[in-house]
Amino acid sequence: MDLLDFGIIFARAIFVIVFCLTMVPVLIWLERKGAALIQDRIGPNRTSIGFLRLGGLIQIIADAVKIFFKEDVTPGTVHKFYFYLAPFIAGFVSLSTFAVIPFADNLKIGGKLVHMQVLNIDAGLLYFFAIVSLSVYSVVLAGWSSNSKFPLLGGIRASAQMISYEIPMGLSVIGLMMIYGSPHLNDMVQRQGELLWGFLPRWNVFLQPVAAMIFIICAFAETNRNPFDLAEGESELVGGFHTEYSSMKFGLFFMAEYISMVVSSGFIVTLFFGGWQIPFLTTELLTNYAKPIIQISLVLASLISFYICTNLYTYHKVHKNRWKDSRDYEGLIFSVITGIASIIMLVVLVLMSYIDLPTWLPPVFTLLAQVASFVIKVFLMCWVFVWVRWTLPRFRYDQLMNLGWKSLLPLALLNIFVTGAVILFLG
Amino acid sequence: MIKVSRDVSELKEDIYIIEIMKGLGVTIGHMFKNMFDLSKLPVIDYPNQEKGIPEGYRGKHRLTQRENGDPKCVACMMCATACPADCIHIEAAETSNNAIEKYPNRFDIDLLECVFCGMCVEACPVDAIRMDSGIYSMVDFNRRDFVVTKNELLAIKPQLESTKALDIRHPMQKYK
Ligand code: SF4
Ligand code: SF4
């Protein structure tokens, strides 16, 4: 262990935390905008810092400032210790689960193998289940310590729901462990880079569709999101387990929900959608053919950037006199910026064909490309969470239990047997 | 036992997945349609663009005037009596005009207590009070400022023709 090792560990941890925390505002924005578009509305679009509106992202800053400066009320009858502990458990659990997710392939720097996950342990999946099952404590403690009816009901519902959905969730991944013979997540992701029948990426969603479905459904239930948000159930239970919370203690629950959305998406992507793998581009391919791949992606990025530039310009022309202040120039400014960016990319492209790449660049490029692929996949999966939330109504409590115990559990068991039989016959 | 026939097969609904996929298809369809063309959304850009309100809408009150600018009101107290919220306060005074004898020295309406029922308009025998101003957003920083006085009420103009309700309905509503 020298300084470099410590630095690497530190950098990975920081990356994961920063990634999770920056995803929170982005997801809130995604949720609000997604909900608005699905419901034929526009969503937040007016808050601004100077000319910056960023399509409503600034609204999230305003919300954050508001929630920080709200009065923090602690009702007199609560059990103080547990009342304060609950939001911290929520935040801690959702942040620490991300530790085992690999976000890029192992990197070789100067003969040293660097694992691109914070915790490179063999029991990756087991760690996930161990930590995630702690999250029920936050809900139960919050519900009980609030000393009030609605939070208590919310807490009871949530504990029953989370415990019953953890079982099919755990069973659904057993099929995967049978295929790979290990719960180590990076191994699984590496194996998903192969091809199935020569044309399909060998993602687990194609090998284990039933398991994928069960896991995704259970992930919704674990994160307490619609259609499984019985813990909150604002139409029946006021606010559910966080009724008595205010200010940033409530904010912590709120953030934890979004972080656990990111984490669940991360796990779904890692287990079933190829993790950091870019379809058809393995690590060797990316490293060996770094130059042409960089060139192609530069061309694509430049084209996309140019498209955005022209679109923003037409937007600016249509909405010239909308606000009558500096916000009117936002479209113009960003159109200029994207236009310049696309030109710079073209210049870099031309320059690149004259020089040879330095040797350190291909591995770094591979790393960045894989991280980008992972982030994009996680983002799309988060979008699925949002999309489902604004489509489906909430389950009734008995329906929820029926689905969990009478449908998902037998299905998960059946999946294990079928997988076992197939493995046995195919060798 | 009464059997109610349903026109969808129960099994198909019990599997959930098919119906859920259909629902997801509907919502993503809306999203894509709206993402590429925001101009077709049935929304208005509110403070920049106002929808206006339909005729007959009971907005903020106003007092009508005679030709010389005096209030038409004869301080008969009909409106104050009819008001269920008891929020009209009139102070009558004598006037030299013998035809009407009285006029309101003070005429205050507490808009925070008012329920906008329109009884005052119904009760008035001389058409002195109306609610056709078209003002629906009443905002202030102070409770006291919600008590509007006679001069303020006299100054309010009726809603102009040009600002009367735009036809902004949801696309689905237009077919009804
Ligand atoms: S609208 Fe109704 S409540 Fe308001 S002042 Fe007139 S009578 Fe009173
Ligand atoms: S507004 Fe009409 S009803 Fe009210 S006091 Fe004046 S004249 Fe009488």
Side-chain angles (χ1 to χ4, degrees):
Chain A
M1 280 283 205
D2 54 10
L3 215 58
L4 184 67
D5 284 331
F6 273 117
I8 289 167
I9 293 172
F10 199 66
R12 288 186 308 208
I14 292 291
F15 170 79
V16 164
I17 290 178
V18 168
F19 171 67
C20 286
L21 292 181
T22 42
M23 276 301 265
V24 172
V26 176
L27 284 186
I28 295 175
W29 173 80
L30 182 76
E31 177 124 70
R32 297 181 72 164
K33 274 289 185 191
L37 288 180
I38 281 174
Q39 297 170 346
D40 288 350
R41 294 184 285 117
I42 291 184
N45 66 349
R46 308 182 159 264
T47 338
S48 65
I49 301 177
F51 66 89
L52 269 184
R53 291 190 298 133
L54 301 180
L57 255 178
I58 302 297
Q59 179 72 43
I60 311 305
I61 298 177
D63 286 351
V65 170
K66 186 196 88 171
I67 210 163
F68 263 112
F69 287 99
K70 279 228 161 171
E71 188 187 355
D72 190 358
V73 184
T74 308
T77 49
V78 301
H79 191 297
K80 284 257 167 46
F81 179 67
Y82 294 141
F83 190 75
Y84 289 140
L85 187 65
F88 288 104
I89 295 182
F92 165 77
V93 166
S94 42
L95 267 179
S96 56
T97 335
F98 211 90
V100 284
I101 298 181
F103 43 84
D105 201 1
N106 298 337
L107 187 67
K108 283 198 189 71
I109 315 179
K112 205 178 258 176
L113 199 64
V114 181
H115 298 286
M116 283 301 151
Q117 68 203 96
V118 180
L119 257 185
N120 176 38
I121 49 175
D122 283 335
L125 257 181
L126 302 182
Y127 173 88
F128 167 67
F129 284 110
I131 299 286
V132 150
S133 54
L134 285 180
S135 70
V136 70
Y137 280 99
S138 77
V139 177
V140 170
L141 282 183
W144 180 77
S145 67
S146 295
N147 194 10
S148 138
K149 288 185 197 74
F150 291 122
L152 185 62
L153 283 173
I156 292 172
R157 279 181 176 194
S159 51
Q161 172 192 328
M162 284 169 138
I163 290 167
S164 25
Y165 276 76
E166 226 153 68
I167 298 166
M169 193 185 205
L171 289 177
S172 69
V173 293
I174 289 193
L176 293 186
M177 289 201 231
M178 283 157 80
I179 293 176
Y180 295 114
S182 107
H184 193 283
L185 288 169
N186 205 23
D187 292 353
M188 286 191 189
V189 178
Q190 273 168 347
R191 292 277 300 278
Q192 288 184 55
E194 298 159 13
L195 288 183
L196 196 65
W197 305 310
F199 65 95
L200 212 58
R202 195 174 164 282
W203 290 356
N204 285 331
V205 68
F206 301 121
L207 290 182
Q208 292 265 309
V210 180
M213 197 185 76
I214 297 173
F215 192 88
I216 292 174
I217 294 174
C218 294
F220 278 102
E222 286 293 309
T223 47
N224 271 327
R225 276 184 66 89
N226 238 356
F228 300 104
D229 62 344
L230 279 110
E232 291 176 40
E234 66 279 340
S235 50
E236 306 129 43
L237 295 179
V238 191
F241 62 96
H242 55 57
T243 306
E244 304 290 344
Y245 283 86
S246 50
S247 181
M248 210 44 214
K249 287 214 281 298
F250 166 74
L252 216 60
F253 275 124
F254 197 64
M255 269 168 64
E257 182 188 325
Y258 284 95
I259 296 173
S260 54
M261 211 164 116
V262 179
V263 173
S264 301
S265 305
F267 266 93
I268 293 169
V269 164
T270 306
L271 290 176
F272 295 103
F273 292 91
W276 41 258
Q277 296 279 8
I278 305 171
F280 312 115
L281 293 176
T282 56
T283 311
E284 292 84 58
L285 217 65
L286 273 173
T287 323
N288 296 343
Y289 297 93
K291 195 166 170 181
I293 292 173
I294 294 178
Q295 279 167 333
I296 292 172
S297 39
L298 270 179
V299 171
L300 285 180
S302 153
L303 282 180
I304 292 172
S305 176
F306 184 70
Y307 175 75
I308 295 174
C309 164
T310 51
N311 261 18
L312 281 175
Y313 189 67
T314 34
Y315 176 88
H316 168 71
K317 272 180 124 179
V318 174
H319 296 279
K320 229 182 211 148
N321 292 318
R322 184 162 173 215
W323 308 101
K324 310 223 167 32
D325 58 21
S326 60
R327 284 181 284 184
D328 280 336
Y329 299 103
E330 193 195 18
L332 188 64
I333 290 167
F334 277 102
S335 125
V336 169
I337 290 174
T338 46
I340 291 173
S342 101
I343 291 169
I344 287 177
M345 279 185 244
L346 285 182
V347 171
V348 171
L349 184 74
V350 174
L351 286 182
M352 256 184 68
S353 46
Y354 289 111
I355 49 162
D356 277 332
L357 292 183
T359 46
W360 54 265
L361 196 65
V364 171
F365 168 70
T366 312
L367 172 74
L368 289 181
Q370 285 172 344
V371 170
S373 149
F374 178 71
V375 170
I376 290 171
K377 282 181 189 174
V378 167
F379 195 75
L380 288 180
M381 200 61 223
C382 288
W383 161 247
V384 173
F385 273 76
V386 171
W387 178 19
V388 168
R389 172 168 180 189
W390 297 101
T391 305
L392 299 182
R394 185 180 304 133
F395 274 101
R396 214 170 53 213
Y397 190 67
D398 59 324
Q399 289 171 334
L400 175 95
M401 286 294 150
N402 278 348
L403 181 70
W405 290 102
K406 291 190 191 161
S407 313
L408 294 184
L409 184 62
L411 251 161
L413 286 173
L414 195 72
N415 184 48
I416 294 175
F417 285 119
V418 173
T419 313
V422 170
I423 289 176
L424 200 65
F425 286 123
L426 295 185
Chain B
M1 204 170 96
I2 306 166
K3 279 248 172 192
V4 181
S5 71
R6 302 161 75 189
D7 47 359
V8 264
S9 83
E10 305 220 347
L11 183 73
K12 211 172 121 199
E13 283 200 341
D14 284 345
I15 302 176
Y16 286 127
I17 292 292
I18 302 168
E19 297 295 314
I20 286 176
M21 288 298 162
K22 274 193 208 162
L24 289 175
V26 170
T27 43
I28 199 86
H30 273 256
M31 198 205 74
F32 275 122
K33 202 181 83 214
N34 297 335
M35 207 160 74
F36 295 112
D37 190 3
L38 281 175
S39 61
K40 292 246 169 61
L41 286 180
V43 293
I44 52 165
D45 193 11
Y46 170 57
N48 302 347
Q49 179 195 14
E50 278 195 43
K51 190 177 166 205
I53 51 173
E55 266 174 274
Y57 179 90
R58 297 195 291 271
K60 197 174 185 175
H61 314 68
R62 71 187 185 92
L63 288 178
T64 49
Q65 303 175 356
R66 296 167 195 280
E67 274 96 79
N68 62 0
D70 287 344
K72 259 190 190 171
C73 174
V74 291
C76 68
M77 306 281 177
M78 294 278 222
C79 54
T81 315
C83 178
D86 203 9
C87 64
I88 306 182
H89 303 287
I90 305 168
E91 220 176 83
E94 224 171 302
T95 165
S96 51
N97 187 346
N98 283 335
I100 55 174
E101 291 178 7
K102 284 201 294 181
Y103 82 104
N105 189 21
R106 291 186 57 182
F107 194 109
D108 300 342
I109 300 181
D110 188 344
L111 290 176
L112 286 183
E113 282 185 41
C114 173
V115 294
F116 295 91
C117 61
M119 291 291 193
C120 46
V121 182
E122 300 274 322
C124 182
V126 293
D127 191 19
I129 186 165
R130 287 194 189 175
M131 296 176 82
D132 59 355
S133 63
I135 300 173
Y136 54 90
S137 108
M138 284 154 251
V139 195
D140 242 314
F141 289 101
N142 217 316
R143 287 191 184 204
R144 216 167 295 121
D145 296 338
F146 281 96
V147 181
V148 280
T149 57
K150 184 179 87 176
N151 288 339
E152 291 170 52
L153 287 169
L154 277 170
I156 298 172
K157 298 274 176 302
Q159 181 180 208
L160 293 173
E161 279 300 322
S162 60
T163 60
K164 276 190 185 147
L166 302 168
D167 183 22
I168 297 177
R169 283 176 294 176
H170 194 276
M172 297 295 287
Q173 268 180 316
K174 287 187 181 153
Y175 300 109
K176 285 198 179 141

